[in-house]
Amino acid sequence: MLAGGQSLVPLLALRLASPSALIDLSGVPGLDYVRRENDHVAIGAMTRERAVERSEVVREFVPLLSVAMPLIGHLAIRNRGTVGGSAAHADPSAEIPAVALATDAEVVVRSSARGERTITSDDFFQGFFSTALEPDEALIELRFPVVRPGTGVAFEEATRRHGDFAMVGAAAVVRTESAHIVEARIAVIGVSDKPLRRREAEQALAGAEPTRGAFEEAATLAADSLTPPSDLHGSSTYRRHLVRVLVRRALESAVQHSQEGG
Amino acid sequence: MSDTVDILLTVNGTQRSANVEPRKTLADVLRDDLELTGTHVGCEHGVCGACTVLIDGEAARSCLTFAVQVRGSEIVTIEGLAEDGEMNPLQQAMRASHGFQCGFCTPGFLMQITALMNENPKPSEPEIREALSGNVCRCTGYQSIVAGVLRATGQSPISDSTHQE
Amino acid sequence: MSQQVAQRYVGSPIKRSEDRRILMGAGTYVDDVKLPGMVHAAFLRSPFAHAAITSIDTSLAREAEGVLLVYTGEELEALLAPGPYGIGVIMGMEKPVFSCLATDKVRLVGDLVAIVVAESRYLAEDATELIEVGYDELPPIVTVEQAFDPSNPPIFEDLGSNILVQSEPRSYGDVEGAFSRADHVLRVTISQHRHQNVPMETRGCVASYDPATEHLLMWSANQGVHHHRSTIAGRLRMDPEKVRIRTADVGGSFGLKLGGSREDVAAAAASRALGLPVKYIEDRYENLTASGQAREESFDVEAAYTDDGDILGLKVKMVMDGGAYPGLAGALPSVIERMLPSAYKIAALEFQSTVIVTNKATYVAYRGPWAAETFVRERVIDLVAHELGREPFDVRMQNVVTRGEEPTVMITGRSLAGVTVRESLERLGELVDLPGFRREQEAAKAEGRYLGIGMASYIEAAPGPKMQGMPLGREEMRMELAEDGKLIVFTGQMPHGQSHETTIAQIAADEFGVAFEDVQVVFGDSDIVPPGFTGGSRSATMAGGAAIMTARALRAKVLETSSHLLEANVADMRIENGAVSVVGVPASAMSLADVASAVRQPGRLPEGVDGELKVENVYDGGSGGWSGGTHCAIVEVDHETGLVHIERYVVTEDCGELINPAVVDGQVRGGVAQGIGAVLLERSAYDDRGNYLTATFMDYLMPTTMDIPNIEITHLETVPLDPDVNFRGIGEGGMIVAPPTICNAIEDALAPFAVRIYQQHLPPAKLLELIGVIEPD
């Protein structure tokens, strides 16, 4: 299925994929929206990344998504690329799946045979360019919970160049109350065949004082037990090291953001 | 070859028709079917930006777009920038700044800059560099291009970084 | 007698003639060329680095939709004469001999196996997927050790081994003496990594054979139409007079598009067979994989130096990886050898080199192909400085030559006349507050931030100083006064971003006496222009000088002829503002158009007076000279991520008299950008099976606006060496000296971690390994 084409068409041009049929979703009406609905923000699958980047609703209610958007490729890519396309493509280094994971977003998919179903992010992103989508299903909506008061967010990436896929990225969502961390969520990309939540690190932060030591400890927990891939751009050891650095930086930044009012 | 499709697009203000395979990219249709060779193909995988055009006012990589996807859209290419056959103010500013050398990346840059200027009439140097970070030039090292955009937007050039003694 | 010609254009940043069409999207690059009936070629390429072809079946491809022709390597070779391809045409290499498409074996991933011509490129590519090839894999030769190993099969049978060329050690000066006098000897291995030209326009051609006239017209992206013609005519067994190469706009090249490629020859042969125009445009995947790569060299260096910091001598052993289908590699080591001492008082050198053949892309010319001499030398100077605890700047000042003092000649024999590297260092010292930076660096270190400063000096032969008894070269040019009074300049230069259409016109306009707008520069047609090419940083001197000399000769001729038309004394006559005039007699001026028209009227001129207002001239380069200078970078290294930010980049350089300062600055900045790219981003990477890993722009990383800082450039005052021509080239210098500049700065930033840098490619993971934060995998 062809959404924005920014990831799929290069694969076709390089003859790495040869689908027998390509269905263009841009002709399907009603998939392009950003709506606050009760406790979540619903974003239609065909909503262009640029529209999400500019959305005041997203900025106010799903700030992690808002700060992640400028990290995605370049302007011309975001003009055409869609949030649904990015989620369905499930590149392990993509930002939107990490945001979905870190915010416990839900994915709504539909098939003509079985109707709609809602899938948690944890269940949706299954592996290397692979999701829970059945062959006859299309992703139609992403639902991001509205951010709670006192929450700060950050998305730190290490890229070879501005706009490149992250070698490693870390998303942090931290809620503080009276100078203590109430709750933290951490998701990392570039470390596995899919984005990963770092729950052990999150648990270590629950109730903790937001000190450098706490961040470092959480970052170490986040990096431990990871076996990131090695490639041209970074060895496995380097990526694991980057997780420690970027998770720490993301936590510092998110806490600061939360203390500034979130 | 799959069946071809008749498409209608507005290109540089004129309605154009073509009969194309669905798998033919907008870049190829512009260059081959519509004989607008100003748009260049540098990589065919969406990274270098040489193929950038405006689709409904927004910058997009024409090598990543199938022509059939933009039926009914308004496309603007480098050929559409001139005013009455003369260079528009952006083109004149780029010339005055010696913006380019071999010229192959130029169409993509001009379209991306046009999109930038439409959204941000007085971009700062960091904003210009960020906006153009998805366009690759091999000849210039970018400084002359950035200087051209500053000139085109009525701003002082980069502090004079060349001296002759 | 020379006339005082008003210098209106030379020295000014005149706006480019090229820009109107380029900015309006009206340029003609080879892929823009469309000829009636044109069809399209695609190539089947090898998936293996080294394999015998045991079978090839093209029957399904021939039947495929829209396919007009398929050739295997054997089928095509039967139609061709063996001989050189690419830069081999210029280098005159005799061995190894190889075929246009692979016949019995493939020698790199991406090697050419078959050509398919079809109604569209899409259909031609579809059909290549239907060709069935049987391969017997052979051991891939991808490392130096494998190339030296005699038990590995030779990639080329006629070479007998995988060593292309191995030189005996050569000595200059008293090497023994230098090393015995030395207080210390630094022993290091310094290497450069493979990276590549990557012009934004790939290679390509449109070959159009006309069976009626038996002429071949080829549109091509190249750096010289005559070299291209030689290749095509030679391989197709055609009379060169029947081959016409046309080139309009070229989207960059940096040395890649020299001589006709194997793909060009295959497309031409296909066109001849079909009697139809055949277009082949290389796609980016092909360009990155197989068009050619450069710079893979390794140097074992011993540097003899004293406690005082005098560098007494060098012993250098070099291995260069020439890739498959060698072209340039065999000839390059001697250039590196001769350039190593550069503008320093290095009095002894021993040099030995080996060039190997491997199953990787051919080693091609890439902007300053011999740049390794600067990288090695400038790294060694910094390493010596670190050993001695001295400022690298001071060690440079101590070792650089002084104009007017001995030595005036490099020990390898090249004259150092006019070299101003010392002056460039001094000027740099004024532009960059070194002590101030050291204080800033200390303060930053206390905050856990790592700043560094690095510099490097170089000279480039642009075109180099005249050597005794030998002209520098031969630059042909022709100028004609057209009927409408415009000056037409025919040059063998083939600009591909250098703005020659503008710079040559500036010189010609000043020298001849017309407005810049009234000069037209013609290039890119082998039927019309004199032989020549663009490359090697020669054109400012050679073409600039040719423009001066030819314009002068034509001016003299026009004045001589006009003296008859105006019945005045030649000595009293001038050409100014497009008209011939007589000093003191304003009424008897005649426009150049009128002069051109008058000489075409029979009887207008006395008998025996030559009315042909055309001159052909050959310029020998005059005294020539070096360009050179010093670059300096200030960087910050993020010691947690290994990412590098360039805070400031300063250039002091001397390229003689500037024709167009904006053009010069553009060339410098573009070259520096490529050097920054080489260190921080670009690598042509292979795995141990010879698979090419960086075949798209996702993996071969090009520097963007966010990676290249504003570059401050100071041009030094000229030291004229020649009475007439003191323009010197500048095309390659930036790319030659930027890599050691950046590497020196990074090493300085990481001095607190006792880092030593012996390689040119420094991606972030590598820096963290060097710092010791992480272990190599």
Side-chain angles (χ1 to χ4, degrees), chain B residues 1 23 28 31 42 45 91 95 98 101-104 125 129 133 138-139 142-143 161-163 165, chain C residues 16 23 29 31-32 34 65 122 126 197 284 427 665-666 682 697 703 705 708 710-711 713 715:
Chain B
M1 180 162 92
R23 66 170 174 169
D28 287 341
R31 291 178 52 76
H45 49 275
Q91 290 164 316
R95 182 169 187 237
H98 279 257
Q101 294 177 28
C102 83
F104 200 78
E125 186 183 331
R129 284 181 176 271
S133 62
R138 195 51 160 169
C139 294
Y142 303 107
Q143 188 167 339
S161 52
T162 296
H163 307 276
E165 323 201 319
Chain C
R16 302 196 320 163
L23 291 165
Y29 300 85
D31 193 23
D32 300 337
K34 285 229 260 293
E65 184 187 351
Y122 289 68
D126 288 343
N197 317 51
R284 185 57 65 185
R427 190 74 187 97
D665 291 345
E682 299 178 44
F697 281 154
T705 52
I708 311 298
N710 286 325
I711 293 163
I713 303 176
H715 298 291

Side-chain angles (χ1 to χ4, degrees), chain C residues 375-540:
Chain C
F375 185 65
V376 168
R377 182 192 59 253
E378 297 299 310
R379 280 272 64 237
V380 163
I381 291 173
D382 264 39
L383 289 167
V384 165
H386 292 322
E387 291 298 308
L388 294 173
R390 302 260 316 268
E391 276 285 2
F393 177 84
D394 294 338
V395 174
R396 282 186 173 81
M397 286 297 288
Q398 181 176 332
N399 284 278
V400 75
V401 302
T402 304
R403 257 187 319 125
E405 289 176 19
E406 290 298 321
T408 57
V409 177
M410 285 190 229
I411 36 157
T412 50
R414 304 220 63 185
S415 159
L416 289 168
V419 163
T420 52
V421 173
R422 170 173 292 277
E423 287 82 345
S424 75
L425 279 163
E426 284 167 346
R427 190 74 187 97
L428 185 75
E430 292 165 7
L431 293 168
V432 177
D433 176 9
L434 190 49
F437 174 78
R438 291 295 179 207
R439 288 190 293 275
E440 199 190 324
Q441 186 182 41
E442 269 306 303
K445 194 168 77 168
E447 289 173 16
R449 292 173 52 225
Y450 297 90
L451 306 182
I453 190 167
M455 60 194 62
S457 301
Y458 80 105
I459 54 177
E460 61 165 321
K466 186 177 164 79
M467 298 196 282
Q468 247 173 343
M470 278 180 54
L472 281 164
R474 224 195 118 72
E475 184 73 19
E476 296 182 38
M477 191 171 276
R478 185 169 84 248
M479 288 190 191
E480 298 177 8
L481 186 65
E483 259 189 76
D484 59 358
K486 296 229 193 319
L487 179 64
I488 322 267
V489 181
F490 299 86
T491 172
Q493 292 290 330
M494 190 58 245
H496 42 285
Q498 293 88 345
S499 312
H500 292 155
E501 217 172 306
T502 302
T503 53
I504 291 177
Q506 286 175 251
I507 297 167
D510 272 352
E511 202 61 38
F512 188 71
V514 293
F516 172 76
E517 293 70 25
D518 288 336
V519 180
Q520 188 194 344
V521 181
V522 176
F523 49 83
D525 187 333
S526 63
D527 274 4
I528 296 176
V529 303
F533 73 100
T534 295
S537 305
R538 307 160 50 254
S539 68

Side-chain angles (χ1 to χ4, degrees), chain B residues 50-114:
Chain B
C51 68
T52 305
V53 298
L54 300 186
I55 300 178
D56 295 327
E58 305 219 308
R61 280 124 152 77
S62 62
C63 76
L64 292 186
T65 312
F66 296 113
V68 295
Q69 286 182 284
V70 294
R71 271 178 285 196
S73 287
E74 300 223 0
I75 314 292
V76 182
T77 70
I78 182 176
E79 290 96 335
L81 296 183
E83 289 163 5
D84 291 323
E86 290 305 315
M87 292 195 284
N88 77 359
L90 169 61
Q91 290 164 316
Q92 289 177 46
M94 298 309 304
R95 182 169 187 237
S97 295
H98 279 257
F100 299 105
Q101 294 177 28
C102 83
F104 200 78
C105 71
T106 302
F109 269 96
L110 289 181
M111 301 322 295
Q112 190 68 60
I113 295 166
T114 300

Side-chain angles (χ1 to χ4, degrees), chain A residues 161 230 237-238 248-249, chain C residues 125-126 640-641 680 702 777:
Chain A
R161 298 169 306 175
S230 277
T237 311
Y238 176 64
R248 191 203 81 232
R249 289 184 182 178
Chain C
E125 282 190 30
D126 288 343
E640 290 192 308
T641 61
L680 298 179
M702 301 281 281
D777 252 4

Side-chain angles (χ1 to χ4, degrees), chain C residues 664-677:
Chain C
V664 173
D665 291 345
Q667 289 289 308
V668 173
R669 292 184 174 123
V672 170
Q674 287 176 311
I676 292 171

